[in-house]
């Protein structure tokens, strides 16, 4: 996670697993949002609302 350098980052993907969450938790000292989306649906208004809420809370 050197590219994030402890800065906040959001990862939006259709293949986020618990292993990904554990790795980020162990290797990234800053705020991180790992948000799973359904591949068949793509990003929805609800997903954007979650991202917006997370960003505003920083």
């Amino acid at each position: 996670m050197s590219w994030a350098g402890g800065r906040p980052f959001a990862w939006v993907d259709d293949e986020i697993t618990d292993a990904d969450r554990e790795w980020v938790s162990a290797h990234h000292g800053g705020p991180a949002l790992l948000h799973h989306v359904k591949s068949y649906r793509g990003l929805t208004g609800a997903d954007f609302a979650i991202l917006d809420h997370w960003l505003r809370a920083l």
Side-chain angles (χ1 to χ4, degrees):
M1 303 241 80
S2 62
W3 52 268
R7 295 182 303 269
F9 81 95
W11 176 7
V12 178
D13 201 329
D14 65 341
E15 294 187 11
I16 294 174
T17 66
D18 288 340
D20 297 318
R21 294 181 193 287
E22 290 170 13
W23 194 92
V24 170
S25 179
H27 294 93
H28 182 65
L33 172 67
L34 280 70
H35 181 68
H36 180 264
V37 296
K38 303 285 186 188
S39 60
Y40 64 86
R41 183 180 65 201
L43 289 166
T44 66
D47 296 309
F48 285 109
I50 289 168
L51 290 164
D52 181 63
H53 181 264
W54 182 78
L55 288 166
R56 290 177 190 273
L58 290 176

